[in-house]
Amino acid sequence: MFQTAFTLSLTQFARSLSLPERLQRSPARNLALEGLRQRNLALDALFYDVTVITPEEAFYISDSLAAEGAIMIVPPSGLGALTLCETIDEFVLRGGADARALAVAGIGGSALGAAAFARNVADAVDGPVAVVVSGYGIADVITEALGGLFFFGHLRGLRPFLESLDDLAGRPKVGAQGDATTARTSLDTRTVQALLADPRLSFRLLAGHSKGNLVLSAALHDLWKQDEGRVAKLARNTKIVTIGTRIAMPPVFTDVVDVMGEWDWFGEINSRSFIHADQRVAHAWHHTNTDLGGHLPVTITLMEILAASPIIDDAKTKEHQAAKLNVVAEPPTTPASPPVPAGGNTATIEKVKKAFSAGPMPGAQPSASGQPDDPQSPKPH
């Protein structure tokens, strides 16, 4: 718990240093929202595993904690610092094309929470992960006042409509700012959609937590309406893992795994009742902070899912995975007494190794006609 408190305090201190600069751009908006953003930062520090974010990284992203639509490239622990990007072109130029997984977090929408969730995913797939910041603006204040915190899955059409107020108030222009009108889709959703539609990028895993699953769902549904061919290709090559809430994805996606904590009543009231959980984590609630009891261990859970159901990856990444896992699992070369069993760790490593070296999944065929955003029938999976 000390590490969580330290990361939170450091981020708050670093953000206070950048306040004068932010007030020069949009003084009224930033002053009105700063207190709520600090509250959301504290929420994310409790709900996400912020201990995996280094002090240098926390300081680096403190100025952009609420920048809706910002994109980060998050490598696994110990393999470099995360990179913050304002546009998709910058994301590609700074190495985003190497990311094979896309993550979207929820709860407070801060960059710290998003980075922590993405780092957990990166540690599971052993590669860099792209993550989009949900941010917090005027639209979020209004929807929250109307119960959006507890019913975000049922009020998803309200926030995009109100985001025009954020633009009028001087919201920073990051992400896919000019790709669509704010009256139709929120900026974080547009950015996720633009990343999925970009032919320069190829994601094999989409992972969301809490409200982030709603963003993924909305982005995929919107993309499906615009380019069914692109979505069909994504469905053949991509696995989706939702954590904390069950939200309907386009029916063309058949490799979807819905994960829920055994004690997660908050996720249940925001989930679609006709979608059944594929995996329930024992003694786990909605949060993923390993410093607290009752957490849902994202990295371990994803490793088990990937071991049981492999995903496609390119040859270069598979070779890197196999090489790393061989080094970890290699027995000592010097004579020694019989090794002590290491519990499930060695078995899990071997399963992950097989998963990433497995062949492609069978392709899923798109349906003949379009489907509504939130179909009222069970998903194909």
Side-chain angles (χ1 to χ4, degrees):
M1 191 61 190
F2 170 79
Q3 187 62 38
T4 295
F6 173 76
T7 303
L8 173 61
S9 300
L10 177 63
T11 309
Q12 290 174 327
F13 171 72
R15 184 162 177 80
S16 66
L17 297 179
S18 65
L19 182 60
E21 180 183 354
R22 286 182 283 114
L23 290 180
Q24 292 178 8
R25 295 195 293 264
S26 301
R29 181 175 184 270
N30 283 314
L31 277 176
L33 295 175
E34 186 61 22
L36 295 171
R37 289 169 175 172
Q38 291 284 357
R39 177 208 61 182
N40 281 16
L41 173 62
L43 284 175
D44 280 353
L46 290 175
F47 276 83
Y48 289 107
D49 192 16
V50 298
T51 60
V52 297
I53 302 300
T54 66
E56 293 81 8
E57 290 173 326
F59 199 97
Y60 169 53
I61 63 177
S62 61
D63 185 38
S64 303
L65 282 177
E68 181 181 355
I71 312 166
M72 291 183 288
I73 306 171
V74 183
S77 299
L79 295 182
L82 61 84
T83 304
L84 182 64
C85 309
E86 293 188 355
T87 65
I88 294 177
D89 288 337
E90 181 186 357
F91 170 76
V92 174
L93 288 173
R94 303 187 73 173
D98 294 332
R100 291 295 178 262
L102 173 63
V104 187
I107 308 297
S110 75
L112 180 65
F117 179 65
R119 178 61 52 76
N120 285 159
V121 177
D123 288 341
V125 303
D126 192 31
V129 171
V131 62
V132 176
V133 179
S134 294
Y136 192 85
I138 298 174
D140 299 279
V141 174
I142 299 175
T143 53
E144 184 177 301
L146 296 175
L149 182 63
F150 282 92
F151 301 106
F152 53 79
H154 310 283
L155 295 175
R156 70 180 187 178
L158 184 60
R159 179 171 174 254
F161 177 76
L162 294 172
E163 283 205 356
S164 57
L165 299 176
D166 281 302
D167 291 326
L168 291 174
R171 175 173 61 180
K173 297 185 181 301
V174 298
Q177 183 74 28
D179 287 0
T181 60
T182 55
R184 294 187 56 189
T185 315
S186 58
L187 181 55
D188 51 357
T189 301
R190 292 206 309 272
T191 304
V192 172
Q193 179 182 341
L195 289 170
L196 294 173
D198 197 312
R200 298 171 294 181
L201 306 175
S202 178
F203 299 112
R204 298 295 181 254
L205 173 66
L206 306 180
H209 174 261
S210 190
K211 190 174 63 176
N213 297 322
L214 174 64
V215 174
L216 277 177
S217 175
L220 289 172
H221 276 104
D222 289 342
L223 183 59
W224 191 27
K225 294 175 182 177
Q226 299 176 13
D227 189 349
E228 290 191 11
R230 176 65 178 176
V231 172
K233 182 179 179 180
L234 286 172
R236 288 193 297 269
N237 302 327
T238 306
K239 175 187 289 293
I240 301 176
V241 178
T242 70
I243 299 174
T245 48
R246 304 185 303 277
I247 303 292
M249 302 295 170
V252 69
F253 287 91
T254 58
D255 192 3
V256 182
V257 181
D258 296 300
V259 180
M260 296 290 295
E262 182 183 15
W263 300 335
D264 191 0
W265 59 266
F266 181 81
E268 286 292 343
I269 65 176
N270 287 288
S271 297
R272 298 296 183 261
S273 59
F274 59 85
I275 302 175
H276 301 289
D278 299 299
Q279 182 172 338
R280 289 194 179 273
V281 180
H283 313 303
W285 189 56
H286 198 68
H287 72 91
T288 65
N289 189 343
T290 56
D291 258 4
L292 303 177
H295 66 273
L296 194 154
V298 173
T299 300
I300 294 176
T301 301
L302 278 177
M303 289 181 67
E304 292 174 350
I305 291 173
L306 296 177
S309 177
I311 62 176
I312 299 177
D313 215 334
D314 55 57
K316 181 178 178 181
T317 305
K318 284 193 293 186
E319 291 174 2
H320 174 71
Q321 281 280 348
K324 180 175 181 179
L325 292 174
N326 279 332
V327 170
V328 173
E330 185 178 356
T333 56
T334 56
S337 56
V340 180
N345 292 338
T346 303
T348 301
I349 290 174
E350 290 300 326
K351 289 181 180 179
V352 174
K353 178 179 176 182
K354 293 178 182 178
F356 277 89
S357 62
M361 298 178 301
Q365 298 298 324
S367 57
S369 59
Q371 297 292 333
D373 285 359
D374 195 9
Q376 295 301 315
S377 59
K379 293 185 296 181
H381 75 280

